[in-house]
Amino acid sequence: MGILLAITAGIMLGFWAMPEKYIKNYAFENAWGLCYLFMLWVIPFVVAFSMINNFSQVLADVGAPVLLKMLIPGFLWGVGMMLWGKAINYIGMSLGFSIFIGTIIVVGSLLPWGLSGLPELETGGINRAKIITILVGILIIFSGIMLNGRAGILRSAKENTDGNKTYDGSMLTGIIIAIIGGVLCTGFNVALEITHEGEVAKNIISDMVVAQGNAAWLTSVASMFIVYVSGGVFVVPYFVIMLSKKKLWGSFKVPEAGKNISLTGLMAALNFAASIVFAYSSFVLGSEGGSIGYAIFNTLSVVTAVTAGVFAHEWKGAPVKAKSALYLGLAAMIIGVLIIAFL
């Protein structure tokens, strides 16, 4: 059941940006502004307050000092999420997902060493075998990111030659945006690992959630609420400013408005639901949730996004070398994730 839930969560995350392809006559700011409003504020509030008993009291018990400490990395995570949407708009789902998620895995695998120190053996001393295994996995994933970047540049060169550019902006700019976004999105983990008076934030949240008679796994829902809402502190005002600056408020009134709003809501729901389903899968898998579950979740999300991008004709007309680099990069990322998780 835990593995099936992780697979489901990965597929949901892989498809979360797909509805954007069917939004008509909306600028980037209109489509993604609505999506992030739903995803970072509306849905987290509805889900957290409906699923967690006495959630207001949980937040009060966690306390302002902890919430404020979590705000800054959560804010940075929000910037990263916004850049992810920008990257997908620049370079498509296939590359946007693989480069973004690949960067998160690389940085996220090293992050615990900076926060908690190097992995140690049960008998004491540094676990050199584990360190080497993780570094090998990271190197392979990084090679996958490089191959995906090459695939994008080759595709872009062909499009420029043919005169049928598919995406806005330069391919290199989109790749850089995806990498920066991936780095900033590790702020999610930083927010949960921040300490207050010697206690880790996620443990404080867990204690307060359980104290109100809730199941332990709902700690993840409470944690996501805090980080998502913190991310919205940047993202929502950003889009409000950009909509005003570009005078795009009137652009919401198009014949397809109802359909467009529904599609942005679907995008938001898929993203947040994927996080919740993964959180529950980790709870079901127990000690294996952080390794096996995480590997399945991330791998399936990238595989799904790349496959969806191919079926959506993102790579139509791309040279064989570009497609080969894409598939090799995807294979390298999958192998790297599996090495980190299972060996």
Side-chain angles (χ1 to χ4, degrees):
M1 178 59 71
I3 289 174
L4 285 175
L5 286 168
I7 291 171
T8 302
I11 292 172
M12 290 171 72
L13 185 64
F15 273 123
W16 87 274
M18 190 70 174
E20 193 261 350
K21 291 186 173 293
Y22 302 98
I23 293 174
K24 304 296 181 185
N25 298 319
Y26 268 11
F28 171 84
E29 289 78 9
N30 296 99
W32 288 93
L34 269 179
C35 172
Y36 287 129
L37 174 64
F38 289 135
M39 186 176 80
L40 300 178
W41 280 358
V42 176
I43 292 177
F45 268 92
V46 171
V47 171
F49 279 92
S50 62
M51 292 183 70
I52 302 175
N53 296 328
N54 301 321
F55 187 54
S56 297
Q57 189 59 48
V58 170
L59 293 176
D61 291 342
V62 169
V66 176
L67 295 176
L68 289 173
K69 281 186 176 182
M70 296 177 70
L71 176 64
I72 295 175
F75 182 95
L76 294 176
W77 172 82
V79 178
M81 287 298 292
M82 186 275 291
L83 291 177
W84 191 10
K86 200 81 172 172
I88 291 171
N89 209 49
Y90 265 70
I91 60 181
M93 281 180 59
S94 301
L95 287 179
F97 259 83
S98 55
I99 293 174
F100 181 86
I101 296 292
T103 302
I104 287 178
I105 296 170
V106 168
V107 179
S109 298
L110 294 173
L111 196 59
W113 297 356
L115 295 173
S116 309
L118 296 173
E120 297 182 354
L121 295 165
E122 292 182 6
T123 54
I126 295 174
N127 190 336
R128 297 183 186 278
K130 186 172 184 178
I131 292 172
I132 292 171
T133 300
I134 291 174
L135 289 177
V136 169
I138 287 173
L139 184 61
I140 294 172
I141 293 169
F142 184 73
S143 69
I145 295 173
M146 297 296 289
L147 283 166
N148 283 335
R150 174 171 169 73
I153 290 169
L154 289 171
R155 187 186 75 184
S156 179
K158 180 71 163 56
E159 287 173 350
N160 289 336
T161 302
D162 294 345
N164 346 303
K165 199 167 181 64
T166 310
Y167 298 98
D168 300 328
S170 74
M171 180 62 65
L172 182 59
T173 300
I175 291 170
I176 292 171
I177 289 173
I179 292 172
I180 294 173
V183 171
L184 291 177
C185 270
T186 56
F188 196 109
N189 292 335
V190 174
L192 300 181
E193 296 294 336
I194 277 180
T195 58
H196 178 69
E197 296 181 352
E199 244 191 299
V200 179
K202 64 182 179 184
N203 295 336
I204 296 173
I205 296 168
S206 179
D207 291 342
M208 301 310 154
V209 167
V210 173
Q212 294 299 322
N214 296 285
W217 77 271
L218 287 170
T219 297
S220 297
V221 177
S223 301
M224 282 188 291
F225 171 87
I226 296 168
V227 180
Y228 271 61
V229 171
S230 298
V233 170
F234 165 80
V235 176
V236 175
Y238 167 82
F239 278 105
V240 169
I241 292 168
M242 294 308 295
L243 286 165
S244 300
K245 184 178 179 181
K246 295 186 178 183
K247 299 179 180 178
L248 290 170
W249 289 104
S251 299
F252 284 111
K253 299 177 182 178
V254 296
E256 302 88 353
K259 178 184 175 183
N260 289 350
I261 292 170
S262 298
L263 288 170
T264 56
L266 176 60
M267 290 168 66
L270 283 170
N271 184 287
F272 196 76
S275 297
I276 290 180
V277 173
F278 172 64
Y280 187 63
S281 77
S282 295
F283 174 76
V284 173
L285 288 168
S287 60
E288 303 297 336
S291 55
I292 295 174
Y294 187 75
I296 292 171
F297 176 61
N298 282 296
T299 302
L300 259 294
S301 70
V302 175
V303 170
T304 301
V306 171
T307 304
V310 171
F311 277 104
H313 307 297
E314 287 184 353
W315 296 85
K316 185 179 180 181
V320 174
K321 286 185 178 179
K323 293 178 181 177
S324 299
L326 176 71
Y327 300 141
L328 284 172
L330 178 61
M333 286 183 59
I334 292 172
I335 292 168
V337 170
L338 295 177
I339 287 173
I340 290 173
F342 293 100
L343 297 183

